[in-house]
Amino acid sequence: MPPPAHVFRGTFIHSTWTCPMEVLRDHLLGVSHGGTIMFLEEASQEERLAKEFCFKPCEIRELSQHEFFMPGLVDTHIHAPQYYFAGSNVDLPLLEWLAKYTFPTELRFQSIDFAEEVYTKVVRRTLKNGTTTACYFGTIHTDSSLLLAEITDKFGQRAFVGKVCMDLNNTVPEYKETTEESIKETERFVSEMLKKNYSRVKPIVTPRFALSCSETLLGELGKIAKTNDLHVQSHISENPDEIEAVKSLYPDYKHYTDVYDKNNLLTNKTVMAHGCYLSAEELDIFRDRGASISHCPNSNLSLSSGFLNVLEVLKHEVKIGLGTDVAGGYSSSMFDAIRKAVMVSNILSMNKINTKSLTLKEVFRLATLGGSQALGLDKVIGNFEVGKEFDALLINPKASDSPIDLFYGDFVGDISEAIIQKFLYLGDDRNIEEVYVGGKQVVPFSSSV
């Protein structure tokens, strides 16, 4: 067996299904040349591990006392083209917001040069923010969406990339495809992506939402997903006006979930964003199909869409992760998604809808292991289990120019849970010293990108 590519000694924090946040102090973690985790054990086992895995003590990289590793963040829902206006234009409800800001912006991505600038910036920014896995919506433009996949691969981010499908759009009629075009271009997108055979970037079938797609298109996309065994992403039950409009457009279906379900788009490889107003019956269908929900609290608040009751989703045993939903969500940072998810949960308990709130630790699990499960990657990433790929962030709460002030008491002994909490609530990219995807350091960026 070849020796490890990396051996780290220090503190590692991650989630398991039985423990929302496990803090492993003074541990050794080894990463293979293929990027998988070879061992994670107490440092007292160094001699035995060194013999078994053929490494020398001088090859161990020791973290400083206040540094720690955590798993990479998984953004289960982000619109790459909308990064162009992220941080602005969140003053309208969903349907008006799409017509006034989103569709006109996305139309511009027929220009490859424009797409290259925006897509390079969003991939760099999300990686700097600690997003090691992203589930991206592109636009209806196949070549721009293929470029997004290429850029994502070049920077080393793990991702699903979707060419958006929409053959209905009365508000900005120039931003839509014919049904035939949408089907043909989706097939071309999938075929080109599979030919590229990127190691960590995969295609995902992407009907924008039921309001943007004819029944014929939905049915054909369901077939494409089934034939190629692909992931599927879309939106569901985000806003009351949208739900009413879906009822009018699809009167023969029982509810919003039924529209996707009957068209083979609700599978164990499906992730649906929002789901604020799903009924118990709909949640049960999600559970039975093995479909997932992406909780996007910033966007749900910014566009005044609604609140997702995560505890209710979990009670129905539906898989769930977090999403930034740029640009309905104004921040591309998953740390913002963590903070907003805690706040939304607090609001629901204050209003007596729930008897308790999600804890910060439980939301940390949603952003890492939960997101990996929602995207069907929990056997590959999500925590520091032996055999998984090393997607990780090296965190330094004491980094120069850190937004966190630490005090003398914070440094007595090993890293305290208070420091970890301070980082999760107050930290940002200045505290993320290094980012690894599949064992390869991708931040700081290499000169080749």
Side-chain angles (χ1 to χ4, degrees):
M1 176 196 295
H6 305 283
V7 180
F8 299 105
R9 179 177 180 169
T11 299
F12 300 84
I13 70 166
H14 72 161
S15 302
T16 65
W17 292 118
T18 51
C19 176
M21 185 188 284
E22 194 170 46
V23 181
L24 304 170
R25 295 181 174 86
D26 199 20
H27 272 57
L28 283 167
L29 182 144
V31 183
S32 75
H33 285 273
T36 56
I37 298 166
M38 301 168 79
F39 55 83
L40 175 58
E41 297 194 34
E42 289 181 8
S44 59
Q45 300 301 306
E46 182 187 321
E47 205 174 314
R48 176 180 64 76
L49 291 167
K51 252 191 214 125
E52 192 181 332
F53 294 98
C54 311
F55 63 88
K56 302 183 184 79
C58 63
E59 293 166 335
I60 298 171
R61 177 173 166 192
E62 301 220 10
L63 306 191
S64 69
Q65 209 177 11
H66 48 272
E67 290 178 319
F68 61 89
F69 269 112
M70 62 171 276
L73 296 159
V74 181
D75 188 345
T76 58
H77 186 68
I78 172 168
H79 292 264
Q82 294 174 23
Y83 185 65
Y84 178 73
F85 65 92
S88 65
N89 301 342
V90 282
D91 56 343
L92 291 171
L94 176 68
L95 300 179
E96 290 95 316
W97 176 84
L98 287 170
K100 184 170 179 185
Y101 304 121
T102 306
F103 295 153
T105 298
E106 291 190 13
L107 183 59
R108 296 180 62 184
F109 282 75
Q110 57 204 350
S111 156
I112 284 284
D113 291 344
F114 182 66
E116 183 168 23
E117 183 194 2
V118 178
Y119 288 162
T120 300
K121 284 183 174 167
V122 71
V123 172
R124 285 180 68 96
R125 177 63 61 190
T126 52
L127 272 173
K128 275 181 69 170
N129 285 342
T131 299
T132 51
T133 300
C135 196
Y136 286 117
F137 273 60
T139 61
I140 65 174
H141 312 102
T142 305
D143 292 329
S144 292
S145 301
L146 288 167
L147 179 64
L148 172 58
E150 190 185 311
I151 290 167
T152 308
D153 176 69
K154 182 177 78 174
F155 279 95
Q157 191 174 47
R158 192 184 298 276
F160 290 99
V161 173
K163 173 220 156 310
V164 170
C165 299
M166 45 195 291
D167 62 348
L168 305 176
N169 187 356
N170 296 330
T171 55
V172 183
E174 60 272 33
Y175 186 56
K176 68 176 177 187
E177 313 155 284
T178 65
T179 310
E180 294 69 30
E181 253 181 335
S182 193
I183 295 160
K184 191 165 87 10
E185 286 300 299
T186 298
E187 285 171 338
R188 177 165 83 88
F189 175 76
V190 168
S191 151
E192 293 277 326
M193 282 284 293
L194 296 177
K195 251 191 278 186
K196 293 278 189 186
N197 198 24
Y198 296 124
S199 58
R200 296 185 176 89
V201 183
K202 304 296 174 200
I204 182 165
V205 174
T206 307
R208 183 176 211 108
F209 64 156
L211 286 184
S212 294
C213 299
S214 66
E215 194 170 28
T216 306
L217 180 56
L218 289 175
E220 288 299 318
L221 293 175
K223 283 179 197 161
I224 292 170
K226 196 172 181 178
T227 306
N228 297 281
D229 192 25
L230 296 176
H231 282 70
V232 175
Q233 65 178 346
S234 193
H235 302 85
I236 195 166
S237 294
E238 181 176 355
N239 153 302
D241 292 341
E242 165 219 13
I243 296 164
E244 285 309 308
V246 170
K247 268 184 203 161
S248 304
L249 184 63
Y250 287 104
D252 299 336
Y253 289 84
K254 195 170 180 189
H255 38 58
Y256 205 154
T257 299
D258 198 36
V259 178
Y260 293 123
D261 191 35
K262 290 277 198 309
N263 288 290
N264 297 312
L265 289 164
L266 206 68
T267 73
N268 64 354
K269 289 190 154 187
T270 296
V271 58
M272 287 281 169
H274 307 291
C276 300
Y277 300 95
L278 292 172
S279 64
E281 182 187 353
E282 289 176 283
L283 287 171
D284 286 341
I285 295 169
F286 265 74
R287 181 196 59 220
D288 295 346
R289 301 294 179 266
S292 308
I293 291 174
S294 171
H295 176 33
C296 305
N298 184 317
S299 165
N300 292 342
L301 293 168
S302 295
L303 301 184
S304 304
S305 297
F307 300 115
L308 176 67
N309 189 337
V310 173
L311 289 170
E312 194 62 23
V313 172
L314 293 170
K315 199 169 88 184
H316 283 265
E317 298 174 358
V318 175
K319 298 178 293 190
I320 184 167
L322 296 185
T324 57
D325 193 22
V326 165
Y330 56 76
S331 171
S332 61
S333 168
M334 282 293 292
F335 292 109
D336 173 84
I338 288 172
R339 294 158 197 166
K340 298 287 192 299
V342 173
M343 296 306 151
V344 166
S345 189
N346 288 346
I347 290 166
L348 291 173
S349 73
M350 283 191 294
N351 287 325
K352 305 288 184 280
I353 291 158
N354 291 335
T355 53
K356 61 173 188 172
S357 291
L358 287 165
T359 64
L360 180 63
K361 291 178 181 182
E362 287 168 330
V363 176
F364 170 81
R365 176 163 60 189
L366 289 182
T368 53
L369 189 57
S372 74
Q373 187 193 41
L375 298 180
L377 294 172
D378 48 316
K379 299 276 188 289
V380 185
I381 56 163
N383 61 11
F384 295 134
E385 210 176 288
V386 171
K388 289 191 179 183
E389 295 194 23
F390 186 65
D391 285 17
L393 315 179
L394 177 61
I395 305 301
N396 181 2
K398 255 183 92 174
S400 61
D401 202 25
S402 169
I404 310 165
D405 285 318
L406 298 172
F407 299 93
Y408 177 73
D410 290 326
F411 297 110
V412 178
D414 282 329
I415 189 162
S416 68
E417 295 219 2
I419 291 184
I420 296 165
Q421 285 179 33
K422 282 183 179 186
F423 166 69
L424 290 174
Y425 276 125
L426 301 171
D428 61 25
D429 60 314
R430 288 169 288 185
N431 301 107
I432 303 173
E433 302 232 298
E434 294 168 5
V435 177
Y436 293 80
V437 178
K440 181 181 175 229
Q441 189 181 312
V442 293
V443 175
F445 300 114
S446 77
S447 55
S448 64
V449 296

